[in-house]
PDB file of all heavy atoms in Angstrom:
ATOM      1  N   ARG A 223     -13.028  -0.577   5.359  1.00 88.00           N
ATOM      2  CA  ARG A 223     -12.381  -1.368   4.309  1.00 88.00           C
ATOM      3  C   ARG A 223     -12.066  -2.745   4.874  1.00 88.00           C
ATOM      4  O   ARG A 223     -12.033  -2.945   6.088  1.00 88.00           O
ATOM      5  CB  ARG A 223     -11.101  -0.699   3.812  1.00 88.00           C
ATOM      6  CG  ARG A 223     -10.000  -0.615   4.849  1.00 88.00           C
ATOM      7  CD  ARG A 223      -8.848   0.233   4.362  1.00 88.00           C
ATOM      8  NE  ARG A 223      -7.788   0.322   5.348  1.00 88.00           N
ATOM      9  CZ  ARG A 223      -6.649  -0.371   5.292  1.00 88.00           C
ATOM     10  NH1 ARG A 223      -6.426  -1.198   4.275  1.00 88.00           N
ATOM     11  NH2 ARG A 223      -5.726  -0.238   6.227  1.00 88.00           N
ATOM     12  N   SER A 224     -11.838  -3.710   3.971  1.00 84.00           N
ATOM     13  CA  SER A 224     -11.472  -5.064   4.399  1.00 84.00           C
ATOM     14  C   SER A 224     -10.586  -5.677   3.326  1.00 84.00           C
ATOM     15  O   SER A 224     -10.295  -5.054   2.303  1.00 84.00           O
ATOM     16  CB  SER A 224     -12.728  -5.915   4.614  1.00 84.00           C
ATOM     17  OG  SER A 224     -13.258  -6.338   3.372  1.00 84.00           O
ATOM     18  N   SER A 225     -10.169  -6.896   3.569  1.00 80.00           N
ATOM     19  CA  SER A 225      -9.291  -7.571   2.606  1.00 80.00           C
ATOM     20  C   SER A 225     -10.016  -7.837   1.294  1.00 80.00           C
ATOM     21  O   SER A 225      -9.385  -8.030   0.251  1.00 80.00           O
ATOM     22  CB  SER A 225      -8.774  -8.887   3.191  1.00 80.00           C
ATOM     23  OG  SER A 225      -9.855  -9.753   3.496  1.00 80.00           O
ATOM     24  N   PHE A 226     -11.354  -7.855   1.316  1.00 76.00           N
ATOM     25  CA  PHE A 226     -12.131  -8.112   0.108  1.00 76.00           C
ATOM     26  C   PHE A 226     -11.872  -7.057  -0.972  1.00 76.00           C
ATOM     27  O   PHE A 226     -11.836  -7.365  -2.164  1.00 76.00           O
ATOM     28  CB  PHE A 226     -13.623  -8.150   0.443  1.00 76.00           C
ATOM     29  CG  PHE A 226     -14.121  -9.510   0.820  1.00 76.00           C
ATOM     30  CD1 PHE A 226     -13.246 -10.543   1.108  1.00 76.00           C
ATOM     31  CD2 PHE A 226     -15.483  -9.771   0.887  1.00 76.00           C
ATOM     32  CE1 PHE A 226     -13.698 -11.800   1.469  1.00 76.00           C
ATOM     33  CE2 PHE A 226     -15.956 -11.031   1.251  1.00 76.00           C
ATOM     34  CZ  PHE A 226     -15.052 -12.039   1.544  1.00 76.00           C
ATOM     35  N   ASP A 227     -11.749  -5.807  -0.552  1.00 79.00           N
ATOM     36  CA  ASP A 227     -11.617  -4.736  -1.545  1.00 79.00           C
ATOM     37  C   ASP A 227     -10.205  -4.173  -1.635  1.00 79.00           C
ATOM     38  O   ASP A 227      -9.982  -3.146  -2.272  1.00 79.00           O
ATOM     39  CB  ASP A 227     -12.615  -3.611  -1.233  1.00 79.00           C
ATOM     40  CG  ASP A 227     -12.412  -3.035   0.160  1.00 79.00           C
ATOM     41  OD1 ASP A 227     -11.537  -3.520   0.888  1.00 79.00           O
ATOM     42  OD2 ASP A 227     -13.142  -2.086   0.513  1.00 79.00           O
ATOM     43  N   GLU A 228      -9.227  -4.848  -1.015  1.00 81.00           N
ATOM     44  CA  GLU A 228      -7.858  -4.322  -0.958  1.00 81.00           C
ATOM     45  C   GLU A 228      -7.239  -4.155  -2.349  1.00 81.00           C
ATOM     46  O   GLU A 228      -6.682  -3.095  -2.680  1.00 81.00           O
ATOM     47  CB  GLU A 228      -6.982  -5.246  -0.108  1.00 81.00           C
ATOM     48  CG  GLU A 228      -5.708  -4.607   0.400  1.00 81.00           C
ATOM     49  CD  GLU A 228      -5.977  -3.550   1.457  1.00 81.00           C
ATOM     50  OE1 GLU A 228      -6.988  -3.652   2.168  1.00 81.00           O
ATOM     51  OE2 GLU A 228      -5.168  -2.613   1.538  1.00 81.00           O
ATOM     52  N   LYS A 229      -7.331  -5.189  -3.181  1.00 81.00           N
ATOM     53  CA  LYS A 229      -6.712  -5.128  -4.505  1.00 81.00           C
ATOM     54  C   LYS A 229      -7.377  -4.073  -5.382  1.00 81.00           C
ATOM     55  O   LYS A 229      -6.699  -3.299  -6.069  1.00 81.00           O
ATOM     56  CB  LYS A 229      -6.786  -6.499  -5.188  1.00 81.00           C
ATOM     57  CG  LYS A 229      -5.853  -7.541  -4.581  1.00 81.00           C
ATOM     58  CD  LYS A 229      -5.894  -8.838  -5.377  1.00 81.00           C
ATOM     59  CE  LYS A 229      -4.929  -9.864  -4.782  1.00 81.00           C
ATOM     60  NZ  LYS A 229      -4.961 -11.153  -5.542  1.00 81.00           N
ATOM     61  N   LEU A 230      -8.709  -4.052  -5.360  1.00 83.00           N
ATOM     62  CA  LEU A 230      -9.430  -3.063  -6.161  1.00 83.00           C
ATOM     63  C   LEU A 230      -9.137  -1.647  -5.675  1.00 83.00           C
ATOM     64  O   LEU A 230      -8.977  -0.719  -6.482  1.00 83.00           O
ATOM     65  CB  LEU A 230     -10.932  -3.335  -6.098  1.00 83.00           C
ATOM     66  CG  LEU A 230     -11.471  -4.475  -6.966  1.00 83.00           C
ATOM     67  CD1 LEU A 230     -12.940  -4.705  -6.663  1.00 83.00           C
ATOM     68  CD2 LEU A 230     -11.280  -4.150  -8.441  1.00 83.00           C
ATOM     69  N   LEU A 231      -9.046  -1.490  -4.361  1.00 85.00           N
ATOM     70  CA  LEU A 231      -8.779  -0.177  -3.784  1.00 85.00           C
ATOM     71  C   LEU A 231      -7.403   0.328  -4.202  1.00 85.00           C
ATOM     72  O   LEU A 231      -7.248   1.493  -4.581  1.00 85.00           O
ATOM     73  CB  LEU A 231      -8.878  -0.242  -2.259  1.00 85.00           C
ATOM     74  CG  LEU A 231      -8.726   1.083  -1.500  1.00 85.00           C
ATOM     75  CD1 LEU A 231      -9.805   2.079  -1.915  1.00 85.00           C
ATOM     76  CD2 LEU A 231      -8.793   0.838   0.007  1.00 85.00           C
ATOM     77  N   ASN A 232      -6.403  -0.544  -4.144  1.00 84.00           N
ATOM     78  CA  ASN A 232      -5.053  -0.149  -4.548  1.00 84.00           C
ATOM     79  C   ASN A 232      -4.990   0.202  -6.021  1.00 84.00           C
ATOM     80  O   ASN A 232      -4.326   1.164  -6.419  1.00 84.00           O
ATOM     81  CB  ASN A 232      -4.064  -1.282  -4.244  1.00 84.00           C
ATOM     82  CG  ASN A 232      -3.602  -1.285  -2.798  1.00 84.00           C
ATOM     83  OD1 ASN A 232      -2.821  -0.439  -2.380  1.00 84.00           O
ATOM     84  ND2 ASN A 232      -4.094  -2.235  -2.022  1.00 84.00           N
TER      85      ASN A 232
END
Side-chain angles (χ1 to χ4, degrees):
R223 66 188 180 102
S224 77
S225 60
F226 271 13
D227 58 358
E228 199 70 28
K229 288 185 179 180
L230 282 174
L231 184 60
N232 278 287

